[in-house]
Amino acid sequence: MTHKVMTTQTLAWRQVGLVAAVQLVVLTALSGRYGFHRDELYFVAAGKHLDWGYTDQPPITPSLARLSTSIFGETPFGLRIVATLAAVATIIVIAYVARELGGNSTVQWVSSAVAALGPFVVAVSHMLSTTTIDMLIWSLLGLFVLRLLRTGDGRWWVAIGAVIGIGMANKWLILLLVFGLTVGVLTFGPRAVLRTWWLAAGVGVALVIVAPIMVWQAANEFPMLTVASGISEDDGGENRILFVPMQLVYLTPVGAAVWITGLVRLWRDPSLRWARALAASYPVVCVVLLVVGGKPYYSIPLLLLLIPAGVQPVLNWLRNGLRRSVVGVLAATSVTLALLTGLPALPPSSLNGPVLAINKEQGEQVGWPELTSNVARVWTQIPAERRATSVIFTSNYGQAGAIEHFGPRHTLPQPHSGHMSYWDWGPPSDSMTGAVLVVGGQPTQSSLLAGCRVVEENDNGIGLQNEEQGTPITLCDRTTAPWSVIWPQLRRFY
């Protein structure tokens, strides 16, 4: 029988609320700087094609993009309100995890602060991404599982099932945590939580939520699996090499010391024996990611769950004045670096060099209006009488999303692309027999287009060396076959 371990701690709303308020103010104040990230432009476009699934993701993040921009406007600020709220909710949940593990008010607010100030967390909290939402979902799942393990109350299986279902509707990586926790409970207990009909109820809730998403994926031949295998094939080796080092820097070295201490404490502290499954889940998840070549940041939400277990031992160790001073300097340096590299605090022209080397996503939020302007300038080189039957085709969804968003001010037509779900949204009509303006290299080197010549190379105007700087803008006279014929050959999964 599961022992019901009681906690007498209450949530320190005043202290945790202050951390959340500071995070809310900082993220809100900076959310309108720079511009959309390429993924955000894609989410905005996907939100205009609401469906139960997309080539590379389930529906939640595009749906939230649609909701946020519909209410607050199709601007970076309007889109990122939902991201900011998700980030604030995540650190509050981490405080609840600290409370669940017996942490007092100090442990709770310090856990929240350490979680909020990690470079990776700062970066993904600033903009809307599937990982922004995933951090919240993983944190909720960890909290509910800990509550189940601590109390033995089987009714928590219903909440766990709901979170897993919602997690599957955002990103299938939630299955990593589910697998890790399952192995942990089966190996270290308390296994009594598995002997209840509430477990079946939780499974049923998860299946009901995820059913329409799986039906969509099955009907479309599970494109998400194709995308995942492509990522593993292309980047798997690099991901494996970087995996361990990145675990130590994503939350700063100081944050790494805290979560490592938490991992050790969960193994050794007899009073937390009931939570050992959480500690076991981390190495399990790491092994899976190393085997499949998953990206190092996939495990970061799990590190947030380990932080609360490590805060009290670290605070005890810091009672020594010299240690406290040294760690304080390291922490201040790490936090400053996190804020400068994760948030749009610097002028865009200052990003070249160390900032982009640490966080290339900063550069992906700059230059999209300029790209669209450059495309528009080339578009005007097409004779006016041919533009009505001419097409803009882009090599990736960021370019397509930028032209879709900024193009109307230049009277550009709706762009097309073979990348990810843009391919699903269809080819141009076969009546579009005019010129083809291609942004990027694909497919100008193929036999699908004729009479191609590079007219211009994209320049963002500040020399920022991001992914689109120097992108060729090419004009082609025509396609070599109707769009409906060549469209299958233009599909790109990654």
Side-chain angles (χ1 to χ4, degrees):
M1 181 176 179
T2 302
H3 296 286
K4 294 189 176 183
V5 183
M6 303 303 294
T7 177
T8 58
Q9 302 295 336
T10 58
L11 191 71
W13 275 110
R14 181 178 299 177
Q15 298 94 321
V16 173
L18 180 59
V19 174
V22 171
Q23 183 189 38
L24 178 67
V25 169
V26 171
L27 291 177
T28 300
L30 295 175
S31 63
R33 289 200 45 144
Y34 295 180
F36 291 107
H37 186 276
R38 70 167 62 247
D39 290 352
E40 291 179 312
L41 288 164
Y42 179 46
F43 296 141
V44 170
K48 297 173 183 176
H49 298 83
L50 289 178
D51 206 339
W52 284 108
Y54 301 88
T55 294
D56 54 336
Q57 63 189 302
I60 279 191
T61 301
S63 299
L64 289 174
R66 172 70 174 271
L67 175 65
S68 195
T69 54
S70 296
I71 297 173
F72 303 109
E74 195 172 308
T75 64
F77 178 85
L79 175 67
R80 290 167 180 166
I81 287 176
V82 68
T84 297
L85 294 177
V88 170
T90 298
I91 67 144
I92 292 175
V93 172
I94 293 302
Y96 270 105
V97 171
R99 174 186 177 275
E100 200 65 29
L101 295 174
N104 59 22
S105 60
T106 300
V107 171
Q108 292 171 29
W109 78 258
V110 172
S111 297
S112 295
V114 173
L117 291 172
F120 182 83
V121 177
V122 169
V124 300
S125 297
H126 161 64
M127 60 189 186
L128 179 62
S129 70
T130 53
T131 304
T132 314
I133 309 304
D134 236 24
M135 285 197 309
L136 175 57
I137 292 172
W138 280 49
S139 299
L140 281 170
L141 179 58
L143 173 63
F144 293 164
V145 168
L146 287 174
R147 183 68 59 86
L148 169 70
L149 299 180
R150 182 178 66 81
T151 66
D153 187 345
R155 290 173 295 182
W156 282 101
W157 277 117
V158 176
I160 290 169
V163 171
I164 293 172
I166 294 170
M168 286 286 288
N170 181 66
K171 202 171 185 179
W172 289 0
L173 288 178
I174 190 69
L175 294 178
L176 280 174
L177 182 56
V178 172
F179 179 67
L181 289 169
T182 300
V183 171
V185 171
L186 288 174
T187 305
F188 299 103
R191 288 182 286 274
V193 299
L194 304 174
R195 296 191 289 269
T196 171
W197 71 271
W198 285 107
L199 172 56
V203 171
V205 169
L207 291 176
V208 168
I209 294 173
V210 81
I213 295 161
M214 299 307 293
V215 168
W216 188 95
Q217 286 288 326
N220 289 273
E221 301 180 349
F222 290 96
M224 282 181 56
L225 298 182
T226 304
V227 173
S229 65
I231 292 173
S232 178
E233 183 177 339
D234 277 11
D235 302 328
E238 180 182 354
N239 291 338
R240 293 183 183 95
I241 293 171
L242 293 176
F243 188 85
V244 172
M246 297 310 291
Q247 302 299 294
L248 302 177
V249 301
Y250 273 138
L251 300 182
T252 75
V254 174
V258 177
W259 72 255
I260 291 171
T261 301
L263 185 67
V264 172
R265 183 188 173 203
L266 288 172
W267 282 114
R268 294 182 174 179
D269 190 339
S271 68
L272 294 178
R273 185 179 182 86
W274 57 271
R276 193 173 291 180
L278 177 61
S281 67
Y282 179 64
V284 172
V285 167
C286 289
V287 168
V288 172
L289 289 174
L290 286 168
V291 169
V292 302
K295 293 183 182 295
Y297 71 79
Y298 288 169
S299 63
I300 299 306
L302 182 49
L303 300 185
L304 299 185
L305 290 168
L306 297 174
I307 285 172
V311 168
Q312 188 61 65
V314 169
L315 290 177
N316 293 340
W317 185 79
L318 289 174
R319 287 173 181 167
N320 177 287
L322 178 60
R323 292 174 180 172
R324 192 160 53 244
S325 298
V326 172
V327 172
V329 171
L330 289 174
T333 303
S334 297
V335 168
T336 301
L337 184 63
L339 295 177
L340 290 178
T341 59
L343 295 176
L346 298 172
S349 57
S350 302
L351 296 179
N352 282 330
V355 174
L356 289 188
I358 295 172
N359 178 20
K360 69 174 185 177
E361 308 306 331
Q362 289 279 62
E364 297 307 304
Q365 301 170 56
V366 177
W368 297 111
E370 290 75 16
L371 171 70
T372 307
S373 296
N374 295 335
V375 168
R377 185 165 52 253
V378 175
W379 180 256
T380 61
Q381 297 184 28
I382 301 172
E385 65 274 12
R386 297 194 68 201
R387 290 178 203 160
T389 58
S390 296
V391 169
I392 296 176
F393 184 90
T394 75
S395 297
N396 63 59
Y397 60 57
Q399 299 161 350
I403 296 169
E404 183 172 345
H405 177 77
F406 297 108
R409 68 183 66 169
H410 300 282
T411 65
L412 292 177
Q414 173 75 20
H416 294 268
S417 180
H419 193 210
M420 298 301 187
S421 281
Y422 264 99
W423 185 89
D424 296 306
W425 301 331
S429 166
D430 284 345
S431 64
M432 306 298 281
T433 56
V436 182
L437 188 159
V438 180
V439 184
Q442 192 252 0
T444 56
Q445 303 303 315
S446 71
S447 60
L448 304 178
L449 300 175
C452 297
R453 65 259 180 217
V454 175
V455 176
E456 187 171 329
E457 289 188 350
N458 180 57
D459 184 0
N460 52 47
I462 57 174
L464 181 66
Q465 297 304 310
N466 61 12
E467 189 171 330
E468 298 301 337
Q469 181 71 346
T471 292
I473 303 174
T474 305
L475 267 181
C476 300
D477 292 335
R478 58 183 175 82
T479 62
T480 57
W483 281 103
S484 59
V485 174
I486 69 173
W487 195 247
Q489 301 175 62
L490 295 173
R491 187 168 199 181
R492 289 183 57 218
F493 286 99
Y494 42 88

